[in-house]
Amino acid sequence: MDLSEIKFTRGVPDPVIFPKKHLAECACAVLEQHGDFVLQYGPVGGFPPLRDWIAGQYKVENERILIAQGSLQIVDTISRIFIKPGDIVYIEEPSYDRSITVFKRAGARLVGIPLENDGLDVDALSERLRMGEKPVLFYIIPDFQNPSGKVLSLEKRKRVIALAKEYDFWVIEDSPYRKLRYKGEELPSLFELGHDSVMHISSFSKLIAPGLRTGYVIAPLDVARRLLKFSEDTYINPSYLNQGIVHEFIQRGLLETNLIELKKVYAPRLLTMLDALDEHMSNLADWTRPDGGFFIGILLRQNSKADILWDRARKVNLHLSDGRGFFTNGYGEQFVRLPFCALTEKEIVEGVERLAQLIRAI
Amino acid sequence: MDLSEIKFTRGVPDPVIFPKKHLAECACAVLEQHGDFVLQYGPVGGFPPLRDWIAGQYKVENERILIAQGSLQIVDTISRIFIKPGDIVYIEEPSYDRSITVFKRAGARLVGIPLENDGLDVDALSERLRMGEKPVLFYIIPDFQNPSGKVLSLEKRKRVIALAKEYDFWVIEDSPYRKLRYKGEELPSLFELGHDSVMHISSFSKLIAPGLRTGYVIAPLDVARRLLKFSEDTYINPSYLNQGIVHEFIQRGLLETNLIELKKVYAPRLLTMLDALDEHMSNLADWTRPDGGFFIGILLRQNSKADILWDRARKVNLHLSDGRGFFTNGYGEQFVRLPFCALTEKEIVEGVERLAQLIRAI
């Protein structure tokens, strides 16, 4: 085997561009200036200056914010408070596999709302609600969705919010990729369109580094209070040191420059992957053309057995995520999530070529 | 009111002696040497060099270790896996209030086993088990117990382990204060006496700083695998940066010197508190004389109404924890937890004096 290893499983940032030196300086500064404070126990909501900064960005009171050890822990906390076994939870189909696992563990009965090119099928959603189905919450990744890369259109965002109000369910908006738009115009978030019905989750994992484990949620005040209490009862408080580093990084103007740097590296990788797909996959699969984020999800036209495809892929040193993890009810045999951020352009081109050859041979 | 504020609620380390400068240097070193690694996502078990170091300390395989965001999150994870609603969980009475909250939230039916001067009443335990009660786990803080300060005797440790094997329940050994012994000889841990029946939890919160949020558990391999999987499904992985700082701190020999420093500061505070209790409380309350840890728990001889005592205390600027939080079933009116590590000797003497005056006046 002389084929180099290509990991289409790597839905992560490229560590080569982590701002290590800057983060080291920020860590020193935080420990020097706020050492006694960040090293002690403290209130669960998070390092107060970072909480204030987020509050300012979103124009909300800081009591509505919980900063935690990454977004997934927040999804888990929400699930433990709001989902009783047997409760209906809507997700986009496909959706983020780790969130699906969290909802299932809470005992949710998951219902997948299909994705169209401009995001979830709101007619299907509306129909289910009109027939009397009562979801407690709808988990949506509206911007550069994981795993599909799709963006929910403005018109559909408005309709989702209207339905959430009419039928009284929570929208959980998970938005880690929102700021990683490589072209085009940002759409209003679901939170901006209807913050009484939305818990908005975001994170610095994709904008600075996942290892800082700093995600946050903004919720209506009464909900925020429940999230805070539940979180304190679970882990007392998150690491203020990490949150202090994030805050210092922002104060020094480094978040903005880092975002520019990330886009400079990631945007050409997205284009390279789109070109490679056009060249090698045009009769084999369908995909959307995202303007940002980490992923392009492709749907194979031919019926394929995932197990066979993954096995053969491994034999040519190509690693693929199991598409079925992104679906409820065992669908996903024909779905392949292709991440492009942590791969070089050479790896992207070779990986798509190898994948196309395999699909043709099935 | 010209009485200075005294907080007997502060069951925390003294931030004045946090090794801030050393930790800043360690943070820089970790980001320089392992930046790409600690800033990325990674396996849930923890920063591998720290995991290996802990494994070496306890002479176990590193696969048996989970390092997490503080000990309480580990107690929560254990509860979610092992406790079904209605299951019986034994705790020492009194016990750590935050763990009690976690067990209750998991739906446990809590049974308190009374504490004697040499730790839990093993005869009472044995009797309950012989009568057929079937606990799933017994949560024990054997060294310098929170909130009482008591130490479980060697003979009782052996009997608890024998009972755990005979009646097939898990011992959760929570040991954050074990290394903070100011005099006398360390006893074997429950883990050392019977590691097949024990999940041993410890933490660097009291030995370095709580803000690093670094606790860990050692469990039998099959249990560890379940804890790891469940934790990964909850928060992907903990902060390697914090764990890397802990590891670097240890590698530089700073943990040992820090422990010496902590003992030098805390030991006289314990003695001061014991002296103050002898002087002012000898006819009012009973207490044990711990050789380490953070707390002396005192039991008032007179019947007192906690609410009245706390109210009057607040009026003389003395803050007390609610003793009832450490008990099941609403006991604890006469129990006061007195922490001594984060208070000056002057505050300790004045605080005990003020408390004695209040008790006399009830």
Side-chain angles (χ1 to χ4, degrees), chain B residues 21-70:
Chain B
K21 200 169 150 291
H22 286 308
L23 290 172
E25 287 162 11
C26 291
C28 278
V30 170
L31 284 165
E32 264 169 38
Q33 289 161 39
H34 307 286
D36 288 354
F37 187 72
V38 300
L39 291 168
Q40 186 58 287
Y41 292 108
V44 70
F47 182 60
L50 182 60
R51 228 176 156 206
D52 289 344
W53 181 83
I54 295 170
Q57 291 291 304
Y58 286 86
K59 298 184 180 60
V60 299
E61 311 90 294
N62 62 7
E63 291 88 350
R64 291 177 57 188
I65 296 164
L66 169 74
I67 315 175
Q69 180 184 240

Side-chain angles (χ1 to χ4, degrees), chain A residues 239-256:
Chain A
S239 168
Y240 280 13
L241 174 56
N242 292 17
Q243 296 181 15
I245 293 171
V246 169
H247 180 255
E248 186 66 26
F249 192 80
I250 293 169
Q251 287 309 107
R252 295 180 177 205
L254 294 168
L255 181 59
E256 281 167 56

Side-chain angles (χ1 to χ4, degrees), chain B residues 313-333:
Chain B
R314 237 168 277 132
K315 281 177 192 150
V316 295
N317 231 346
L318 181 68
H319 300 263
L320 301 173
S321 296
D322 188 341
R324 290 168 296 188
F326 305 114
F327 287 76
T328 53
N329 311 324
Y331 292 112
E333 293 265 1

Side-chain angles (χ1 to χ4, degrees), chain B residues 137-157:
Chain B
L137 58 90
F138 191 171
Y139 174 79
I140 302 174
I141 307 167
D143 293 301
F144 315 120
Q145 203 242 14
N146 181 359
S148 69
K150 292 180 180 178
V151 171
L152 188 63
S153 72
L154 176 58
E155 186 236 337
K156 285 188 168 181
R157 287 176 195 233

Side-chain angles (χ1 to χ4, degrees), chain B residues 185-204:
Chain B
E185 292 260 318
E186 193 175 87
L187 297 178
S189 66
L190 293 164
F191 172 80
E192 286 164 322
L193 294 172
H195 56 93
D196 287 348
S197 301
V198 177
M199 302 184 214
H200 175 90
I201 299 173
S202 191
S203 157
F204 295 97

Side-chain angles (χ1 to χ4, degrees), chain B residues 8 11 93-96 115-118 143-151 177 269-270 273-274 277-278 281 284-301 309-310 320-324 326-327 332-341 348 352 355 359:
Chain B
F8 278 148
E93 183 112 86
S95 185
Y96 177 38
L115 279 182
E116 303 175 314
N117 260 333
D118 59 348
D143 293 301
F144 315 120
Q145 203 242 14
N146 181 359
S148 69
K150 292 180 180 178
V151 171
Y177 313 106
R269 293 182 181 176
L270 168 58
M273 184 168 268
L274 285 169
L277 288 170
D278 286 339
M281 294 283 224
L284 303 173
D286 298 287
W287 59 92
T288 42
R289 308 184 74 83
D291 292 336
F294 267 47
F295 306 107
I296 301 176
I298 73 170
L299 204 61
L300 308 185
R301 289 194 187 161
L309 182 62
W310 298 176
L320 301 173
S321 296
D322 188 341
R324 290 168 296 188
F326 305 114
F327 287 76
E333 293 265 1
Q334 285 155 264
F335 182 84
V336 183
R337 184 183 78 171
L338 296 178
F340 51 82
C341 286
I348 290 168
V352 171
L355 182 61
I359 295 166

Side-chain angles (χ1 to χ4, degrees), chain A residues 20 36 39 211 213 237 242, chain B residues 20 36 39 211 213 237 242:
Chain A
K20 291 172 279 286
D36 288 355
L39 291 168
R213 309 308 296 119
N237 68 282
N242 292 17
Chain B
K20 292 172 278 286
D36 288 354
L39 291 168
R213 309 308 297 118
N237 68 285
N242 292 18

